[in-house]
Amino acid sequence: MRQRSLIAITAALAAGALTLTACGSRDDDGGSDSGNGGGGTTVVIGVDAPLTGDLSALGLGIKNSVDLAAKTANKNKTVDGVTFKVEALDDQGQPSVGQQNATKLVADKDVLGVVGPLNSSVGESMQKVFDTAKLVEVSPANTNPSLTQGLDWQKKKVRPYKSYFRTATTDAVQGPFAAQYVYNDSKKKKVFVIDDKKTYGAGLAGTFTEEFKKLGGKVVGTEHINPDSKDFNAVATKVKNSGADVVYYGGEYPQAGPLSKQIKEAGAKVPLVGGDGIYSADFIKLAGAKGTGDLATSVGAPVEELPSAKEFVANYKNAGYKEAYEAYGGYSYDSAWAIIEAVKKVVDANDGKLPSDARAKVVDAMQQVSFDGVTGKVSFDEFGDATNKQLTVYAVENGAWKAVKSGTYS
């Protein structure tokens, strides 16, 4: 097995950031007004995310960021003769609803690309629907490796669907990155691993565990929780009795916050560590003061610190959105902009008009998309995965997430 190490990233990304323009405010329904449109042809960018329920903070940040990208493209007339509109559908974090939404978006002939979903389990339910229709899908948040590399990805990588892309890096990178930080930087040697049995959580916990054991760490306990529950006292007691000096949780913030709080209340004064699914301000609200010292990894470098993201942060604020862009805002903007760039390639290659097979052409064009985005260089490898493999560890300090280490896993 080849040696893996953390490689520190430079303080700033390469120059040439995407220039954005401040746009109007959001409307209150699932769609988007078009701002100052570019002309006669309407292209719809679909959005699928949890817009209601426990995960809505992340979902609304995705929706708003796509809306900002569409308005920016219209303001700047990025694609001559094309006006972009957004159709946002609520999947409630449920695979069955996501699949219904995929079918609905496919049925709208004006939809040439979809941003989303948030959850990897929802992504699984949508991929075949989109691929059959040759409709491109770009997720800003799905991290399960099998979505792009096949179920047997650890042995042989095979891309299942040509139409699926993502701007987020995968759990094949994120889990081991967290394990290296916990073992090498935090000096924690005994971990209790918990997951919510869902595609994202179980997959992330698995890749963390494999790397942690490889480094010499010991797994002193494992447990699966019911994601519909908020009472984790039984597992909290198991953590306390295990002698663990750290807990790794594969799952999302609605459960991670109460879990962290109850573990501390049970007498186990150990940090809870999770992935990008817990990296939300709502985790801190749910965990309370006892969440201080907890850790999360998230894709990319901190958006607020990237020179390439300054325009995005300012324009998002100026646009007057009611909700924060959250963990995936920059990646959602870049996902939408990738679709816009692909549409531009197709239109430019067809004498300024959309061809009759525009969807299939956009899928092909997406593979060649490359631009300087909010989150850095945006392009895709042969599996549809983001070529940007940066990650950051965040710690809860003084009631907020603070970046403590950025790097890449290799």
Side-chain angles (χ1 to χ4, degrees):
M1 190 65 63
R2 65 194 178 95
Q3 184 68 29
R4 294 173 165 92
S5 62
L6 286 174
I7 306 169
I9 63 168
T10 55
L13 297 172
L18 177 66
T19 301
L20 310 180
T21 305
C23 302
S25 62
R26 69 187 286 272
D27 58 358
D28 291 323
D29 60 19
S32 157
D33 57 39
S34 59
N36 296 319
T41 302
T42 297
V43 168
V44 176
I45 299 175
V47 175
D48 178 87
L51 305 179
T52 58
D54 286 346
L55 296 170
S56 60
L58 297 177
L60 290 166
I62 290 171
K63 173 195 169 185
N64 294 344
S65 300
V66 174
D67 183 64
L68 181 60
K71 288 175 177 174
T72 300
N74 292 338
K75 178 87 171 178
N76 294 346
K77 295 182 171 55
T78 302
V79 184
D80 211 19
V82 170
T83 298
F84 289 96
K85 292 189 176 181
V86 174
E87 177 66 24
L89 301 181
D90 180 11
D91 64 29
Q92 303 164 39
Q94 301 297 320
S96 60
V97 180
Q99 190 173 68
Q100 292 168 13
N101 290 348
T103 300
K104 182 177 179 180
L105 290 166
V106 164
D108 182 349
K109 63 179 176 55
D110 291 334
V111 177
L112 294 190
V114 178
V115 176
L118 170 71
N119 306 82
S120 291
S121 56
V122 178
E124 281 181 320
S125 76
M126 304 175 85
Q127 285 181 303
K128 183 171 175 50
V129 178
F130 287 137
D131 201 64
T132 300
K134 297 182 173 60
L135 180 58
V136 79
E137 171 188 14
V138 188
S139 174
N142 290 169
T143 55
N144 189 279
S146 66
L147 296 175
T148 49
Q149 299 171 19
L151 293 174
D152 202 27
W153 62 271
Q154 288 172 307
K155 296 178 181 177
K156 184 181 180 182
K157 296 179 182 179
V158 178
R159 185 175 185 176
Y161 299 106
K162 181 182 177 182
S163 66
Y164 179 89
F165 297 80
R166 54 179 151 200
T167 53
T169 195
T170 76
D171 296 333
V173 179
Q174 185 175 193
F177 179 82
Q180 291 186 354
Y181 184 85
V182 169
Y183 188 87
N184 294 327
D185 295 74
S186 293
K187 307 299 182 186
K188 306 295 186 183
K189 311 301 181 187
K190 295 183 292 181
V191 66
F192 196 107
V193 180
I194 306 169
D195 71 66
D196 62 2
K197 298 183 285 189
K198 295 185 344 190
T199 301
Y200 163 74
L204 186 59
T207 58
F208 171 90
T209 299
E210 182 182 4
E211 181 73 7
F212 192 77
K213 289 163 70 174
K214 198 175 295 179
L215 291 167
K218 183 178 180 183
V219 177
V220 296
T222 60
E223 191 67 58
H224 307 289
I225 63 160
N226 178 1
D228 295 324
S229 176
K230 293 293 188 291
D231 181 0
F232 306 120
N233 285 305
V235 68
T237 300
K238 289 183 181 180
V239 170
K240 179 181 181 295
N241 294 337
S242 73
D245 54 15
V246 64
V247 171
Y248 189 82
Y249 176 65
E252 295 153 330
Y253 66 83
Q255 296 75 37
L259 178 62
S260 172
K261 186 175 183 180
Q262 290 168 40
I263 286 171
K264 274 78 163 182
E265 288 173 345
K269 308 300 184 186
V270 300
L272 181 142
V273 182
D276 53 329
I278 80 167
Y279 178 55
S280 169
D282 283 17
F283 169 84
I284 297 173
K285 293 176 189 174
L286 293 167
K290 296 184 184 299
T292 298
D294 287 348
L295 301 166
T297 53
S298 191
V299 294
V303 168
E304 296 82 359
E305 297 177 13
L306 292 171
S308 54
K310 287 180 180 177
E311 294 281 352
F312 167 76
V313 173
N315 292 336
Y316 192 97
K317 181 178 179 180
N318 292 339
Y321 296 109
K322 297 174 184 176
E323 305 87 9
Y325 52 78
E326 285 280 351
Y328 304 107
Y331 294 89
S332 302
Y333 188 103
D334 284 347
S335 294
W337 203 264
I339 292 170
I340 291 164
E341 287 286 334
V343 170
K344 180 174 171 56
K345 284 178 179 290
V346 170
V347 169
D348 287 351
N350 193 53
D351 298 324
K353 304 185 299 296
L354 284 172
S356 58
D357 60 344
R359 283 182 173 176
K361 289 286 200 306
V362 168
V363 171
D364 291 338
M366 184 63 70
Q367 195 66 55
Q368 307 305 321
V369 160
S370 179
F371 62 94
D372 293 305
V374 171
T375 59
K377 191 74 174 179
V378 178
S379 60
F380 306 99
D381 66 15
E382 67 270 30
F383 300 103
D385 281 327
T387 55
N388 184 348
K389 309 292 186 187
Q390 294 173 335
L391 290 148
T392 299
V393 179
Y394 297 86
V396 179
E397 294 182 12
N398 299 317
W401 289 109
K402 180 183 178 183
V404 292
K405 186 166 187 173
S406 291
T408 57
Y409 171 77
S410 62

